[in-house]
Amino acid sequence: MLGNGKENIKYIASDISEAALKATAITLKAHGLCAELYKVDLISGLEKRLAGAVDVLIFNPPCVPTLDEEVGTSAWAGGNKGRVVIDRMLKTVDSILSKKGRFYLVTVTANNPGEICQIMRRKGFSSRIVIQRHSEEESLHVLKFWREKLDHSSGSDKSLLYSRCASALHVSLSHRLSRLVSFK
């Protein structure tokens, strides 16, 4: 999807789990792709190399709400609101994305996707839900973030855009969350 083979595309994958990296290697091989695989905590040790260079970042974190002590004990344990690992990545994502970079984040409703979008908005990113799937147990969202391109001559333009984005996200999330309430 990222190119026709003529582009110079480099894939890098990281995970703290050896098993996850093995599964990634198998998946890549099945699709005829190669990547550099790193067994690290998020991007630990790769910050300088990745600074401003990542065009597409896909992050599927442990996001199920658990006790904070459970983070790291399973692939899904995300701590308070399922956000412990997510919040750590949000602190660094803007430093590794390129100017045209896109960040895709997998969340569940309990992670409060609207709040995540607000955090990223304060960092200068626009956002939208690109995929949403519902099951009896949860609602998964894939959020897309990109740097805003605004005419900075007027601060009110930025406020108006933020207002429109927040309103659209609120309406979208409110509609979907109202359907989740009916499951209880």
Side-chain angles (χ1 to χ4, degrees):
M1 286 177 50
L2 295 177
N4 60 13
K6 295 180 183 178
E7 294 84 3
N8 185 17
I9 297 173
K10 179 176 272 190
Y11 299 95
I12 297 174
S14 71
D15 204 294
I16 200 164
S17 163
E18 189 69 39
L21 288 173
K22 286 179 183 177
T24 300
I26 291 167
T27 302
L28 289 166
K29 185 176 180 180
H31 293 280
L33 298 172
C34 295
E36 294 177 30
L37 303 177
Y38 294 95
K39 185 177 187 278
V40 296
D41 182 19
L42 298 179
I43 59 166
S44 181
L46 301 171
E47 299 91 350
K48 287 183 182 178
R49 178 174 179 204
L50 299 178
V54 176
D55 292 322
V56 179
L57 174 62
I58 301 169
F59 187 45
N60 185 10
C63 58
V64 174
T66 63
L67 297 173
D68 284 353
E69 299 81 49
E70 293 180 53
V71 173
T73 63
S74 69
W76 48 266
N80 184 34
K81 296 191 300 184
R83 291 269 301 271
V84 171
V85 178
I86 291 171
D87 288 342
R88 286 182 50 224
M89 181 55 102
L90 295 181
K91 291 178 183 176
T92 62
V93 70
D94 56 330
S95 68
I96 62 171
L97 282 181
S98 69
K99 291 180 182 179
K100 296 185 281 185
R102 302 293 187 256
F103 172 40
Y104 295 87
L105 171 64
V106 178
T107 66
V108 295
T109 302
N111 303 146
N112 195 345
E115 183 179 50
I116 293 170
C117 290
Q118 290 173 5
I119 290 167
M120 292 299 288
R121 189 173 305 116
R122 287 191 293 271
K123 293 176 172 276
F125 287 84
S126 293
S127 61
R128 73 181 185 97
I129 298 172
V130 292
I131 299 173
Q132 189 163 6
R133 298 285 186 266
H134 301 282
S135 72
E136 289 181 21
E137 297 175 9
E138 64 187 3
S139 178
L140 283 170
H141 309 87
V142 175
L143 306 177
K144 175 182 178 182
F145 300 94
W146 64 95
R147 295 185 193 281
E148 291 189 41
K149 294 182 180 173
L150 298 172
D151 174 10
H152 295 290
S153 61
S154 169
S156 64
D157 290 345
K158 191 171 187 173
S159 297
L160 180 60
L161 179 61
Y162 283 160
S163 208
R164 286 181 186 154
C165 291
S167 177
L169 182 62
H170 176 74
V171 168
S172 175
L173 287 175
S174 295
H175 172 71
R176 283 154 175 73
L177 289 174
S178 68
R179 287 195 277 162
L180 287 175
V181 172
S182 66
F183 288 133
K184 293 185 177 184

